[in-house]
Amino acid sequence: MTTLMTMMTSEQTATNPLTDFPVVGGVVQAADSLLRDLNIPLWLAQVVELAGLLLLLHVLLTQVFRRVLPWLAPLLDEALAWTFDRIAMLLLVPELVSTRIRTRKGKPPLSTAYTYGDSVVSLANAAKSVAHVVLDVLPRMRTAPPLVPAMLVFVIALVWNSETCTGDPCVSPATQWFTVAGEWFGQLV
């Protein structure tokens, strides 16, 4: 009986790490209240909420792959080309200044100025080519198998679990849920 009371007290005071999410934290809190009112154990409520959030994230990532990335790729390609051209122009200013100063004094430009200018232009063109090749992959994500967003969701969940701390002492959410679930099942047996 004492174990049951301790577990109920620790379960009631346990915080749900899912409520810390910026956009859906309030929805998770509302779902917590609803599931707790239905006398569902806290650990099970949190697992159900996590499963719902992961499913929602999978649907969202699938839509991003199918609709947003193909639309965004040409826009990013143009923006990056414009950006690399502007960076190259800024990097060519020292060459321009040194060449103008030397020509005003009646001297020819330094031979290194030509090498520097050619190098800057070559690097800018290479960066634009690499960006174009990388961004050319984005429209192809439209046909990515559903396993790709699922794997991404799995990696996101693993990183979140390893970076999130709950309880005292600090443990990962999965560890907390397994511990509380084990105690809950232990009292059923």
Side-chain angles (χ1 to χ4, degrees):
M1 185 69 173
T2 309
T3 307
L4 176 61
M5 293 300 288
T6 306
M7 194 175 83
M8 287 180 65
T9 306
S10 67
E11 194 172 307
Q12 289 169 348
T13 60
T15 59
N16 188 346
L18 301 174
T19 58
D20 294 337
F21 287 133
V23 176
V24 295
V27 175
V28 169
Q29 283 179 331
D32 248 358
S33 297
L34 175 69
L35 292 172
R36 295 298 287 153
D37 288 345
L38 295 172
N39 291 326
I40 293 177
L42 181 63
W43 68 269
L44 184 58
Q46 291 176 353
V47 169
V48 167
E49 293 160 358
L50 178 64
L53 288 176
L54 293 178
L55 180 63
L56 180 66
L57 182 60
H58 182 268
V59 168
L60 180 69
L61 286 176
T62 301
Q63 293 305 310
V64 165
F65 282 157
R66 301 244 163 101
R67 297 173 190 233
V68 176
L69 293 181
W71 169 80
L72 192 61
L75 299 174
L76 285 176
D77 195 25
E78 290 177 26
L80 285 175
W82 183 88
T83 302
F84 289 135
D85 285 342
R86 297 316 172 266
I87 290 171
M89 287 172 40
L90 287 173
L91 292 174
L92 289 172
V93 168
E95 178 199 16
L96 175 67
V97 170
S98 72
T99 302
R100 286 215 175 158
I101 290 172
R102 289 190 58 85
T103 54
R104 284 189 183 160
K105 292 182 178 179
K107 297 179 182 178
L110 295 171
S111 61
T112 56
Y114 294 113
T115 305
Y116 175 76
D118 290 343
S119 299
V120 167
V121 171
S122 295
L123 282 173
N125 288 337
K128 288 192 289 188
S129 295
V130 167
H132 180 71
V133 168
V134 169
L135 292 173
D136 194 36
V137 173
L138 294 182
R140 295 181 194 155
M141 294 305 287
R142 175 179 299 164
T143 59
L147 185 62
V148 173
M151 289 172 50
L152 189 56
V153 166
F154 181 72
V155 168
I156 290 170
L158 284 178
V159 169
W160 171 79
N161 185 59
S162 67
E163 297 293 321
T164 303
C165 178
T166 61
D168 188 29
C170 181
V171 294
S172 71
T175 304
Q176 176 193 10
W177 294 332
F178 283 124
T179 303
V180 173
E183 291 173 1
W184 186 78
F185 280 117
Q187 85 181 168
L188 290 178
V189 180

